[in-house]
Amino acid sequence: MGIYNLSKRNKLNQLLTAVSGLHVSVIMFFGLGFLSYVNYDLQIDTIGRNEVLITLKKTMPFFSFGYFIISLLEYNRFKNEKINVYKFDFKKHSWDFYSAFFLFLAYIGLLFSESSFANSGIGTFVPVLNNFIYPVTILIIAKVEKRNSFSILLLFLLILFVGYNAFTSSWRSQLIMFSISILIGLSLRGRINYVILSIVGIIYSFFILPFQEIKKHNYELFKNDPMVAVVISLNYDMETRFEIFSQFLAERINFSREMAYVQNAIDDGKLQYRDGETYIEVLYQLIPREFWNEKPIYNKYTGGTIPRTIQLLPWTDLYTSWAVNSFAEFIYNFPYQYLPLFSIVLYLFLSFLDRLCVNLKLEPELLWMLQTTLFFLSVTLVSVIFSSTYFLWTFLVIIFFDRIKKSVSENTIVRRI
């Protein structure tokens, strides 16, 4: 269903939208991740593999039914052509200024997103700038031309700063999403050579991913001598490489497993239903700390306490953060039997965001940037505490720059008159 929905949206030139991001998320984290899990004996399950599978027999039918209803709604839209989004002609616009400007903003986000200023209040806009990395990567890759020396310079800066950061970052997802952005950019330039794509996929899965695993679990070693990590990863045999690849898919690219851990903790009494308190905290999260000095750090609970309570992470791990996906988050707020209702509400909310993008009457280039950023946010949809802040600030930042551009354009016209 996910592949069908995404292919239809792609044909309608609506791939880079919030709803399309939801379909990609379902394909990757519930399709690929779940299939990998049931076909690979993951040895690190603290609650036991059988317990996970038994719990999924209860929860997954309700999730699947919810997505089935979403697919029916999508089919009705496809049939009646009622997808109210802007059909963007990527070739009509000049992108040099926007590519340079958003590359600068994205790099600012990379540099300061881990600072204390970025963790609360008005400072939460800084990680939002980080989210522009993937849209601007698409732009630069799609619009680079031999005759345009400035576009070549931007490509060089992208690889030098963003590419290097993705390669050296302790976050494996950053390099994955950066690679996906490059592929989308190449697809906008024309038809992708799937032979080359397959080769790139094999190289990443069996050679780059093992290096990423070493970097993740031995980051101090990597920082002290990166080449040592490279040499160790190159010395792995193919069986070890396949083991790393399979475990990564089954463990990290797997939202259904997170749902099982949450539900198992609920069943065992280790976790109590929050009865929607998580969603009320979204409003509290938006209050700047300047006006509420004793404001709790909600991200600490969702990314720290919850994963340790449900045994996804050990309490001895003092540093790793793991905010479960929005569906698993719903389960520790309300019974899993209500998952279909939540799925439909989430779909309608993302559809609303797509319509809102169009109704704001933004400049075409900024509209594309907003929709594409929402696509990536929707793909990696985790705790609403994280996502709601990112969605809000993304709209505010884009609207702010849109107003500036329109004001400058109006002043220029007045001066000419």
Side-chain angles (χ1 to χ4, degrees):
M1 288 188 292
I3 293 172
Y4 171 79
N5 292 332
L6 196 63
S7 63
K8 292 292 289 185
R9 280 186 163 265
N10 186 41
K11 290 179 181 178
L12 292 172
N13 194 28
Q14 303 304 331
L15 176 62
L16 299 176
T17 59
V19 172
S20 294
L22 175 62
H23 295 317
V24 172
S25 180
V26 169
I27 293 169
M28 288 179 57
F29 297 104
F30 287 102
L32 179 62
F34 177 76
L35 288 175
S36 300
Y37 183 81
V38 297
N39 287 285
Y40 174 75
D41 188 8
L42 193 64
Q43 299 292 330
I44 62 173
D45 276 322
T46 53
I47 66 174
R49 175 182 173 83
N50 287 336
E51 288 298 321
V52 171
L53 294 175
I54 290 172
T55 304
L56 288 178
K57 286 182 180 180
K58 296 191 302 183
T59 57
M60 286 305 288
F62 289 90
F63 168 80
S64 300
F65 179 69
Y67 190 67
F68 175 71
I69 299 298
I70 289 175
S71 299
L72 290 180
L73 294 174
E74 283 283 80
Y75 177 77
N76 184 61
R77 287 189 171 189
F78 299 148
K79 185 177 179 180
N80 298 289
E81 297 183 354
K82 291 182 180 179
I83 298 181
N84 182 26
V85 287
Y86 179 75
K87 293 186 178 181
F88 189 83
D89 188 345
F90 198 76
K91 297 180 180 179
K92 280 187 177 180
H93 304 274
S94 175
W95 287 95
D96 285 351
F97 169 77
Y98 291 95
S99 297
F101 180 68
F102 279 100
L103 178 61
F104 171 75
L105 291 181
Y107 190 64
I108 292 296
L110 276 179
L111 289 178
F112 298 105
S113 60
E114 298 299 325
S115 65
S116 58
F117 172 71
N119 290 329
S120 181
I122 194 170
T124 54
F125 79 93
V126 174
V128 172
L129 301 182
N130 197 4
N131 291 324
F132 292 138
I133 289 173
Y134 310 124
V136 81
T137 298
I138 294 174
L139 278 182
I140 292 175
I141 295 297
K143 302 302 291 184
V144 65
E145 299 175 356
K146 293 181 180 179
R147 299 178 181 178
N148 186 342
S149 57
F150 186 70
S151 70
I152 296 175
L153 174 62
L154 288 177
L155 178 62
F156 173 76
L157 293 176
L158 177 74
I159 297 172
L160 180 63
F161 294 110
V162 178
Y164 176 77
N165 185 274
F167 187 75
T168 58
S169 172
S170 60
W171 299 101
R172 293 165 295 184
S173 59
Q174 192 160 321
L175 183 58
I176 294 174
M177 298 305 292
F178 181 67
S179 303
I180 291 174
S181 302
I182 292 175
L183 292 176
I184 294 175
L186 291 173
S187 70
L188 291 176
R189 296 179 64 88
R191 186 179 296 276
I192 294 179
N193 186 317
Y194 288 97
V195 174
I196 295 178
L197 180 62
S198 300
I199 294 173
V200 171
I202 292 172
I203 292 174
Y204 180 84
S205 301
F206 296 105
F207 291 91
I208 297 179
L209 186 59
F211 164 74
Q212 289 282 90
E213 287 293 301
I214 293 174
K215 184 180 66 173
K216 172 69 176 179
H217 297 293
N218 301 277
Y219 193 62
E220 290 301 321
L221 169 67
F222 172 77
K223 284 203 306 184
N224 294 331
D225 192 347
M227 287 307 301
V228 171
V230 173
V231 171
I232 293 174
S233 66
L234 289 177
N235 288 332
Y236 285 153
D237 56 31
M238 283 305 298
E239 183 178 352
T240 303
R241 297 181 191 280
F242 186 80
E243 183 83 6
I244 291 172
F245 175 64
S246 300
Q247 180 171 324
F248 176 73
L249 292 180
E251 179 188 5
R252 298 298 296 188
I253 311 295
N254 190 354
F255 282 178
S256 56
R257 178 172 175 264
E258 294 177 0
M259 289 170 56
Y261 269 73
V262 170
Q263 186 57 46
N264 183 266
I266 292 288
D267 293 340
D268 290 347
K270 297 176 182 176
L271 192 65
Q272 302 298 320
Y273 286 121
R274 302 199 72 203
D275 298 323
E277 187 176 352
T278 297
Y279 305 111
I280 297 175
E281 289 173 351
V282 171
L283 301 177
Y284 296 153
Q285 172 72 10
L286 301 178
I287 301 175
R289 194 169 295 278
E290 288 78 7
F291 304 114
W292 185 5
N293 293 329
E294 298 180 356
K295 174 182 171 182
I297 302 176
Y298 297 109
N299 293 346
K300 185 176 181 180
Y301 179 76
T302 56
T305 304
I306 288 292
R308 287 162 177 79
T309 301
I310 65 177
Q311 296 180 266
L312 268 177
L313 293 173
W315 288 100
T316 54
D317 184 345
L318 303 177
Y319 303 103
T320 304
S321 177
W322 188 335
V324 298
N325 66 85
S326 57
F327 298 95
E329 182 181 62
F330 177 82
I331 289 178
Y332 68 70
N333 277 276
F334 301 105
Y336 67 85
Q337 289 87 348
Y338 294 100
L339 267 173
L341 178 61
F342 173 73
S343 300
I344 295 169
V345 170
L346 178 61
Y347 167 75
L348 294 177
F349 172 70
L350 295 176
S351 298
F352 166 75
L353 293 184
D354 284 335
R355 291 195 301 273
L356 181 60
C357 289
V358 178
N359 295 335
L360 287 172
K361 307 298 181 183
L362 301 169
E363 292 292 313
E365 296 88 349
L366 291 171
L367 171 59
W368 184 90
M369 181 62 66
L370 176 58
Q371 287 185 326
T372 306
T373 305
L374 294 182
F375 167 80
F376 283 102
L377 288 176
S378 186
V379 168
T380 56
L381 197 63
V382 290
S383 165
V384 294
I385 292 294
F386 293 101
S387 302
S388 60
T389 303
Y390 286 161
F391 279 124
L392 176 62
W393 273 116
T394 299
F395 271 94
L396 292 179
V397 169
I398 293 294
I399 291 173
F400 174 74
F401 289 127
D402 180 74
R403 297 296 179 265
I404 291 179
K405 184 178 186 301
K406 287 178 177 176
S407 177
V408 171
S409 299
E410 291 174 0
N411 291 335
T412 302
I413 293 173
V414 170
R415 288 176 183 176
R416 288 178 179 177
I417 294 176

